[in-house]
Amino acid sequence: MADTSTKSASFWAEHRLWIIIASILILLPPLSFLFQFTQDSNFCGSWCPRMFFSWRKGQAASDFFLGFARSYMGVTLVLGVLASTFFLGRYWCSHLCPVGGTMETGSRIVPKWLKINFSAIPAPPVRYGYFAVYMLAPAVGLGSLCCNYCNFATVPRMFGAAFFNGADFAYFLRTAGLINLGLIVVFGFLAKGGRAYCNFMCPIGAMDSLSNRLGLKFGRRMNVDQSKCNSCGACSRVCPTWAIEIKDKAAIDHYSCMPCRKCEKACAKGAIAYGKTQG
Amino acid sequence: MTPKNIIVFIAAAAVSLAAANTRFGDSAHAIGVIKANGGSARHASHLDAGKDAYTLIATATVIPPYRGDARITLEGEPKLDCKLYSSGPVLDLGIRRHPVFREDTLFDLQPKDRIAIWAVIKPPAIDPVCGMAVKDDFVSEQHGGKSYRFCSDDCLNNFRLNPDKYKNNAAQGKYTLAFTDTATGKRVLDIPVLLGGKEGAGDGGHQH
Ligand code: SF4
Ligand code: SF4
Ligand SMILES: [Zn+2]
């Protein structure tokens, strides 16, 4: 009997690379298609998804909410991402985000022997350590991680610079720009699976992973059928976010999983599938 | 929560905190408003002295009723080499009207427009004693493997007497990134740029 739950959703599993490429083409230079509707050319400006939710010491409430108005598209985007993740899992991160998508797609081109495997480092504590500082440091006046280390600024500007856009090029002529480029290269392009940056230091990813975990009981996620799993570990070897641990059987950490569904494809027993959480 | 996870959490937070407090003296971000009778920046932009190149990102919103064309110049002495770029899309699909940047001028600014200008600033070599920008007829002198140039024998002699006092001097001073309406000649935005200021910019590094 054909399993209809995986059949109906297999579009997302089969065509993921093309969905990522389409998202890159729509959102990033040279087209910057969606941004041009709001007089922007990248995420900086009304689409900024990172700045509005971090409160700075001494900032008046009116100024804080003015930031929401300034980045109204970014606010809409983040709320949409968090809500959809709660019910459907982190499809924004796995399929739609052009920033994470660029890093993962780029990492596919990097030869295996050059790749760095970060899976010895547990990802959630790094992520929330970073995120705690992201939120608290500006609030108590101890600096800021917001714009100085921004994946949403760096990746679009890499595309812009590749098309000889002067301002995007200038981004990389300063220390902060070069450090960001280095972070994207080391934790993105050179990382096994291309998602170490997403897993460690994306504030959107950090919030999104919390929504993913909170909505676990209510929504659809990747599930392991314990009766089919033979603990071979094939799934955990392909997971770009090193979210699968083989204890007795495979167990998925929903703080880190984004439904890229590589594990589903890798499992010879068909033990992993996307769907309503059981139990 | 295993002990390992707690240690990793603390280590990640410590590294992040150090990163959050690292300031890069070669770039700054100014946020301002363009106004018919003189707009201003929220705060001055601080850049460290002695770097090879600087990037100043100036973002501004046009306050009604201002409309017009504004020329952008970097004013101050000694003159700094300054190249300006507007942060716009690579391929303009013409979906929305927006100001056009050509040469050093923003054309067709209209109320509520938001602009982002990237200024790449290169300071000139200076006579480390008197601070004059180096000209062709300056005399040169080697010191500690580096070459220095002086406007006069006076300055050269002062340098020889006390090289440690002067050897790290680089172009610095108070500059202004000035936006001037081309029709009226009036300033519509002044952004103070302090080259050599090491005091932290009060903005907590909110810059892009
Ligand atoms: S973690 Fe951040 S960069 Fe990575 S896919 Fe998600 S939103 Fe994009
Ligand atoms: S657990 Fe499976 S679906 Fe989730 S990130 Fe890992 S490989 Fe992708
Ligand atoms: Zn002199």
Side-chain angles (χ1 to χ4, degrees), chain B residues 127-132 138 149-152 154-156:
Chain B
D127 174 332
V129 177
C130 68
M132 277 174 71
F138 279 27
R149 301 187 62 192
F150 304 91
C151 69
S152 60
D154 264 2
C155 279
L156 175 57

Side-chain angles (χ1 to χ4, degrees), chain A residues 112-219:
Chain A
K112 265 215 173 76
W113 58 269
L114 254 178
K115 289 215 179 139
I116 308 166
N117 187 346
F118 288 100
S119 68
I121 306 170
V126 174
R127 183 187 316 137
Y128 301 119
Y130 177 95
F131 190 59
V133 172
Y134 186 93
M135 297 300 287
L136 294 176
V140 296
L142 282 175
S144 163
L145 289 166
C146 182
C147 290
N148 270 344
Y149 307 92
C150 181
N151 45 346
F152 284 83
T154 309
V155 170
R157 294 209 154 91
M158 288 169 57
F159 283 85
F163 289 97
F164 299 104
N165 182 290
D168 291 340
F169 215 78
Y171 181 81
F172 299 104
L173 292 178
R174 49 191 203 133
T175 316
L178 290 175
I179 287 176
N180 276 294
L181 185 62
L183 292 174
I184 299 283
V185 168
V186 171
F187 293 99
F189 297 144
L190 294 184
K192 178 175 173 281
R195 292 289 186 162
Y197 195 114
C198 296
N199 222 6
F200 285 151
M201 55 192 127
C202 176
I204 314 302
M207 288 193 294
D208 197 36
S209 65
L210 291 176
S211 173
N212 197 53
R213 184 64 188 79
L214 284 175
L216 184 60
K217 289 275 170 297
F218 311 97

Side-chain angles (χ1 to χ4, degrees), chain A residues 25-202:
Chain A
L25 288 177
I26 290 171
L27 282 161
L28 300 188
L31 280 186
S32 307
F33 183 65
L34 285 187
F35 300 125
Q36 296 203 32
F37 283 97
T38 54
Q39 223 193 45
D40 291 287
S41 55
N42 50 40
F43 280 102
C44 291
S46 49
W47 288 80
C48 173
R50 300 178 31 130
M51 203 198 292
F52 67 87
F53 57 82
S54 93
W55 179 77
R56 267 175 292 141
K57 190 184 173 200
Q59 192 179 30
S62 58
D63 200 27
F64 181 67
F65 288 109
L66 202 67
F68 282 62
R70 196 189 311 121
S71 304
Y72 63 103
M73 290 311 297
V75 176
T76 312
L77 179 67
V78 170
L79 291 180
V81 166
L82 295 181
S84 67
T85 290
F86 190 86
F87 295 108
L88 299 173
R90 302 175 61 189
Y91 272 108
W92 160 260
C93 287
S94 61
H95 287 66
L96 299 176
C97 174
V99 174
T102 295
M103 292 191 262
E104 187 183 328
T105 310
S107 81
R108 287 174 180 245
I109 308 165
V110 173
K112 265 215 173 76
W113 58 269
L114 254 178
K115 289 215 179 139
I116 308 166
N117 187 346
F118 288 100
S119 68
I121 306 170
V126 174
R127 183 187 316 137
Y128 301 119
Y130 177 95
F131 190 59
V133 172
Y134 186 93
M135 297 300 287
L136 294 176
V140 296
L142 282 175
S144 163
L145 289 166
C146 182
C147 290
N148 270 344
Y149 307 92
C150 181
N151 45 346
F152 284 83
T154 309
V155 170
R157 294 209 154 91
M158 288 169 57
F159 283 85
F163 289 97
F164 299 104
N165 182 290
D168 291 340
F169 215 78
Y171 181 81
F172 299 104
L173 292 178
R174 49 191 203 133
T175 316
L178 290 175
I179 287 176
N180 276 294
L181 185 62
L183 292 174
I184 299 283
V185 168
V186 171
F187 293 99
F189 297 144
L190 294 184
K192 178 175 173 281
R195 292 289 186 162
Y197 195 114
C198 296
N199 222 6
F200 285 151
M201 55 192 127
C202 176

